[in-house]
Amino acid sequence: MAQGMKIAIVDDEQDMRQSISQWLALSGYDTETFASAEDALKKLGPDYPGIVISDIKMPGMDGMQFLKKLMGSDSALPVIMITGHGDVPMAVEAMRVGAFDFLEKPFNPDQMTALAKKATNARRLTMDARALRRELSDGSQIMNKLIGASPVMERLKEDILDLGQADGHVLIDGETGTGKTLVAHALHAVGSRAGKKFVLVSCAAFEEDALAKRLFGPMNPEDSQLPAIEEARGGTLVLEDIESLSDSAQAKLLNVINEQGTPAETRLIAISNMQEQDRTCEDALRSDLFYRLAALRITVPPLRQRGEDILSLFTRLSEQFSDEYGCDAPKVSAQEAAQLLQAPWPGNVRQLINLAERAVLQSRRGGGTIASLLMSDHDEMQPVMTTEGKPLKEYVEAFERMLIDNTMRRHRGSIAAVMDELRLPRRTLNEKMAKYGLARADYL
């Protein structure tokens, strides 16, 4: 079942409304009923979080008129029409107008439930895709995804806000798993092209000929999409793994850049993963193309340089996974906090995400430690890793800040509850919160 999805049942016959509603409710669905299409239209907006089941023959506005109104408001809304026995032409017409499917009276309740499941799953995918598009076009939302208050992260955010307003092409480099694609989304979302097309192509995902076709065409008549250069016109085209471009593709891309002139009609953002290898992106690309793409440049910092951000990220991620799996988030000891801060993190944020999920899963089972998970990730790791040595005082303060932050979050800003759990007098707690930049208002 697609959890959280509603089913609106529209039928002028009360018995039919109730029987459909009761059957679907027994299957776990959240239903609401309407005696007329007019009543339903007052409630069913363009982003209705569910599907509609409607009789086709009703007094006043009939099912076909109702369907056309719904399709005009939201063409992706799944509408299942109930037709009379043998009324095939009516069903065909409903499908042509945009109905998801139809049920012919008398119908099998199990058939209706199966169809409702299919329709709600389709609606969930549509709603998720819309939410993602909104999120990726909302500059403030996507900037909030760049979690951290370390100096390197503050600098990264400033660079994104500055370069987002510029028109030049951008090269983003950095180690694997640092969030380079997220930075590309942020650059688009905070700039003047935020409402325009954002097209992302992974150059490493295609063979040479297929990549050239995807980027520049020509496309076959049966292909449903335009070449990426055309698809992104006026917006942003992101090329991941830019170093995978062949010599001929590099020449074509350079021609496109030259033909666009200045300022460029379409902004190019190139993403390179070669920073940690012997060869660099500059080595892999022809120099004239490299310097055009690297007119502006952002290097995303590795996780090991982000200090206390590691603990903030781990806390946020473990809370998200604990909500998903329905269990408590694992508690981090002082030694484990030090180990998290000292780990080399070759996989960066992506590795931390995996570790947080595994920590939640093993906590749900009631065993294991974060240290053991770190050991499995780094066979050479000593009980306490030392990739970048720091004074003990810094580790203690980072752990203390994390502990207060986690406890405030868990108790939703209740100072009394935090004082009781941490055995701290109010004055000491206030002093430590001020020292670490924590404000009660952030947890209410």
Side-chain angles (χ1 to χ4, degrees), residues 170-174 179-185 200 238-243 269-274 281:
V170 184
L171 174 66
I172 302 173
D173 60 11
K180 296 184 290 294
T181 302
L182 179 62
V183 170
H185 278 291
L200 188 148
V238 179
L239 300 177
E240 287 186 326
D241 300 299
I242 188 69
E243 60 274 4
I269 298 179
I271 295 178
S272 171
N273 286 305
M274 294 187 73
C281 182

Side-chain angles (χ1 to χ4, degrees), residues 304-409:
R304 63 182 173 276
Q305 292 179 4
R306 293 176 54 182
E308 291 181 34
D309 288 354
I310 295 170
L311 298 183
S312 302
L313 272 165
F314 182 81
T315 296
R316 184 80 61 89
L317 291 165
S318 58
E319 285 176 351
Q320 290 172 355
F321 283 121
S322 63
D323 287 343
E324 182 178 334
Y325 290 112
C327 61
D328 292 333
K331 292 185 177 179
V332 181
S333 69
Q335 182 181 11
E336 287 172 330
Q339 289 172 325
L340 286 169
L341 287 167
Q342 294 179 78
W345 300 113
N348 291 290
V349 178
R350 192 177 298 126
Q351 182 186 357
L352 184 63
I353 292 170
N354 294 337
L355 182 101
E357 182 172 19
R358 285 154 53 205
V360 168
L361 288 172
Q362 76 172 9
S363 176
R364 186 174 67 166
R365 293 194 303 269
T369 62
I370 292 169
S372 66
L373 294 176
L374 283 167
M375 286 287 286
S376 68
D377 277 354
H378 310 286
D379 294 336
E380 76 286 358
M381 186 189 87
Q382 299 303 313
V384 175
M385 295 170 289
T386 54
T387 57
E388 294 183 9
K390 295 177 185 175
L392 176 63
K393 181 172 179 288
E394 287 191 28
Y395 291 120
V396 172
E397 289 180 346
F399 173 69
E400 197 170 64
R401 184 189 189 284
M402 180 198 70
L403 197 60
I404 295 172
D405 178 50
N406 289 353
T407 311
M408 288 291 290
R409 194 183 305 277

Side-chain angles (χ1 to χ4, degrees), residues 5-9 30-34 40 43-52 70 73-74 77-78 123 127 130:
M5 289 280 107
K6 291 179 174 290
I7 299 182
I9 300 157
D30 181 10
T31 65
E32 50 186 344
T33 61
F34 302 93
K43 181 73 180 287
L44 305 179
D47 279 318
Y48 180 69
I51 69 167
V52 178
L70 292 175
S73 172
D74 186 347
L77 175 64
R123 186 59 169 173
M127 299 297 284
R130 286 179 181 175

Side-chain angles (χ1 to χ4, degrees), residues 149-162:
S150 60
V152 291
M153 282 304 289
E154 290 299 327
R155 173 67 185 273
L156 176 64
K157 292 172 189 176
E158 289 172 5
D159 287 345
I160 290 170
L161 291 171
D162 287 343

Side-chain angles (χ1 to χ4, degrees), residues 91-111:
V92 171
E93 175 64 11
M95 297 291 284
R96 187 192 67 78
V97 170
F100 184 83
D101 213 326
F102 67 93
L103 286 165
E104 187 181 21
K105 294 178 183 177
F107 52 82
N108 184 322
D110 290 327
Q111 179 191 6

Side-chain angles (χ1 to χ4, degrees), residues 218-231:
M219 309 301 283
N220 298 324
E222 64 271 15
D223 291 328
S224 59
Q225 61 184 166
L226 294 168
I229 293 293
E230 291 296 323
E231 187 182 355

